[in-house]
Amino acid sequence: DLSDIRQSGVFADNMLDPYHFAVRLNEIARSWGSPPLLIERNGPGGQVIDAMHHTHQYEHIVTYTPSAGKQGTNNTRMGIFSHTNTKFTGVSNMRYWLNNLRVLKIWDMHTIKEFETYIRHANGMWKKRAGENVWDDRVEALMWSIFMLDITIAQKYYEVAIIDSQGKPKKLTNPIYYQ
């Protein structure tokens, strides 16, 4: 229901290596019906994607590269390529659902605390404020999960029944990834 989006759970563990994180992620995702996962493929995320795909045979990993072709990027690599422009789009998208429509409900206090220090820096990067003793992983995980509602991604995995005046999905039906 895109008029009532709720944060249903949070998993955080800074001591878990990428392989064991993939084990846990696989358990969680399969218990929720194997939905599409947006996993950042930069850095250790690439190892998580590799383990999810090759070890756990998880099939619903979103593939997204902005401006594929323009920069010579390969749009067939699994995961989401995170850089300044992608994060800007992700943050804008998240703010739309959170601030404009006010339909995104966040229940976790750690996530809320991270929002207090998550800023756009002078170089255009979105991340925690320098010197803060708080992570930004929960905010970015929420951002990537809501990125699923970017129209270019949503149309790959769902039938978009209604699009709102801002070009965002208003109603999704029939997950295509189950067909």
Side-chain angles (χ1 to χ4, degrees), residues 32-160:
W32 281 84
S34 300
L37 299 178
L38 284 89
I39 303 171
E40 188 176 315
R41 72 174 179 244
N42 308 49
Q47 293 172 312
V48 173
I49 291 168
D50 186 56
M52 289 295 290
H53 180 69
H54 295 292
T55 304
H56 304 291
Q57 286 79 47
Y58 197 87
E59 297 179 14
H60 305 132
I61 299 172
V62 172
T63 298
Y64 179 82
T65 301
S67 306
K70 288 183 181 179
Q71 301 168 358
T73 54
N74 182 350
N75 202 23
T76 60
R77 292 180 57 203
M78 287 183 284
I80 186 162
F81 181 67
S82 174
H83 64 79
T84 304
N85 293 341
T86 314
K87 279 191 178 180
F88 178 79
T89 302
V91 169
S92 297
N93 184 60
M94 181 173 59
R95 289 180 65 164
Y96 178 74
W97 296 97
L98 186 63
N99 297 339
N100 293 18
L101 296 181
R102 297 178 183 255
V103 297
L104 177 57
K105 312 294 189 301
I106 301 169
W107 306 110
D108 178 58
M109 287 306 297
H110 295 289
T111 305
I112 293 168
K113 280 291 209 194
E114 286 184 11
F115 266 108
E116 293 173 359
T117 63
Y118 194 75
I119 62 169
R120 186 171 184 193
H121 291 262
N123 66 357
M125 285 295 298
W126 285 89
K127 57 185 179 180
K128 70 176 184 168
R129 185 180 303 122
E132 293 291 336
N133 192 21
V134 177
W135 295 93
D136 59 9
D137 297 346
R138 290 176 183 90
V139 170
E140 293 200 358
L142 184 64
M143 175 187 66
W144 294 134
S145 66
I146 293 298
F147 206 84
M148 186 69 200
L149 298 177
D150 180 271
I151 194 69
T152 60
I153 297 174
Q155 289 176 329
K156 290 180 185 177
Y157 295 92
Y158 297 92
E159 290 180 17
V160 179

